[in-house]
């Protein structure tokens, strides 16, 4: 046996423990990285629906009721909606979410909600940011007041009041979705603190 071969065998003997540790550590590191990435993805995706029952469902400090869905709604205010052109093959969806809190302090826990429409294939759409002509009440899950004078709101002013404990109130959201899914999208609500759960409303 040559000296070079003996040296190589001696090196492998001396480092056998380190080499064995590498054989175990590399797959373990790969598994851990994959597991961590999967957990981050899972925890950040709304995947577990909490179905809202027809008679109401308690969730996150409030009681939630079935939502009202209107496809291709007419504007509720006389602004510039005639000039508001939608992308081709899309339509508006107006959703009224109805809820009730028994204690007004529970409204604090409803802040930060995100309103969505969810297609059967899992695609989601967020509410449209500017859709004033199609809204007649506050957006978001906490209801709320409006600093503008009542005369500015007109008939809608009655909706811009702080919710009353024990009394249902509605909030509105406007969406723009492809016409091909308009009849099948389901209203949903998520909270970053509640993921992967999400509220799913019957359609």
């Amino acid at each position: 046996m040559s000296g070079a071969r003996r040296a190589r065998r001696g090196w492998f003997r001396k480092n056998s423990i380190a080499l064995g540790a590498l054989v175990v550590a590399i797959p373990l590191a790969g598994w851990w990285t994959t597991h961590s990435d999967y957990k981050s993805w899972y925890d950040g995706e709304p995947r577990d629906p909490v179905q809202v029952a027809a008679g109401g469902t308690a969730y996150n400090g409030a009681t939630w009721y079935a939502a009202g869905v209107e496809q291709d709604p007419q504007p509720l205010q006389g602004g510039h909606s005639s000039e508001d052109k939608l992308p081709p093959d899309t339509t508006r969806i107006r959703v009224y979410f109805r809820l009730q809190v028994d204690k007004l302090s529970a409204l604090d826990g409803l802040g930060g909600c995100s309103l969505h429409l969810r297609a059967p294939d899992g695609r989601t759409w967020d509410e449209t940011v500017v859709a004033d002509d199609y809204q007649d009440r506050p957006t978001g899950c906490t209801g709320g007041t409006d600093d503008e004078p009542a005369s500015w709101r007109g008939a809608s002013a009655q909706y811009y009041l702080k919710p009353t404990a024990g009394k249902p109130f509605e909030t509105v959201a406007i969406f723009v979705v492809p016409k091909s899914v308009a009849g099948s999208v389901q209203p949903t609500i998520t909270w970053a603190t509640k993921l992967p759960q999400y509220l799913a409303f019957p359609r």
Side-chain angles (χ1 to χ4, degrees):
M1 181 182 295
S2 67
R5 185 173 294 179
R6 281 196 299 271
R8 280 197 298 270
R9 291 185 67 180
W11 183 89
F12 277 108
R13 281 200 194 98
K14 290 179 183 178
N15 295 284
S16 59
I17 294 176
L19 290 172
L22 278 177
V23 169
V24 173
I26 290 175
L28 183 61
W31 174 85
W32 179 256
T33 301
T34 303
H35 175 74
S36 297
D37 289 345
Y38 174 79
K39 188 175 187 307
S40 297
W41 166 79
Y42 182 84
D43 290 346
E45 287 289 316
R47 313 192 67 81
D48 301 331
V50 175
Q51 299 289 346
V52 175
T57 295
Y59 186 78
N60 201 24
T63 301
W64 303 83
Y65 302 96
V69 181
E70 300 174 359
Q71 185 174 333
D72 192 22
Q74 294 301 306
L76 296 167
Q77 302 181 38
H80 304 286
S81 58
S82 60
E83 302 174 8
D84 186 11
K85 301 297 182 184
L86 294 177
D89 298 318
T90 63
T91 187
R92 285 185 184 86
I93 301 288
R94 180 165 56 211
V95 181
Y96 289 104
F97 294 92
R98 187 165 173 260
L99 64 150
Q100 173 182 312
V101 294
D102 294 328
K103 294 181 180 179
L104 291 180
S105 59
L107 292 172
D108 294 337
L110 301 181
C113 73
S114 297
L115 311 177
H116 315 277
L117 288 181
R118 187 180 184 94
D121 62 8
R123 287 181 294 164
T124 61
W125 291 266
D126 298 332
E127 63 180 319
T128 303
V129 176
V130 179
D132 289 344
D133 290 347
Y134 294 85
Q135 298 169 348
D136 63 349
R137 62 199 69 201
T139 60
C141 298
T142 59
T145 58
D146 193 320
D147 294 331
E148 297 290 344
S151 59
W152 186 81
R153 286 292 179 187
S156 302
Q158 60 180 314
Y159 300 114
Y160 286 80
L161 300 172
K162 189 172 184 178
T164 302
K167 182 180 178 180
F169 65 93
E170 286 184 323
T171 183
V172 67
I174 312 297
F175 304 88
V176 175
V177 302
K179 290 181 178 179
S180 59
V181 300
S184 62
V185 285
Q186 181 182 36
T188 63
I189 299 180
T190 62
W191 283 268
T193 55
K194 293 287 185 178
L195 291 175
Q197 287 185 337
Y198 67 95
L199 275 182
F201 294 80
R203 176 78 190 268

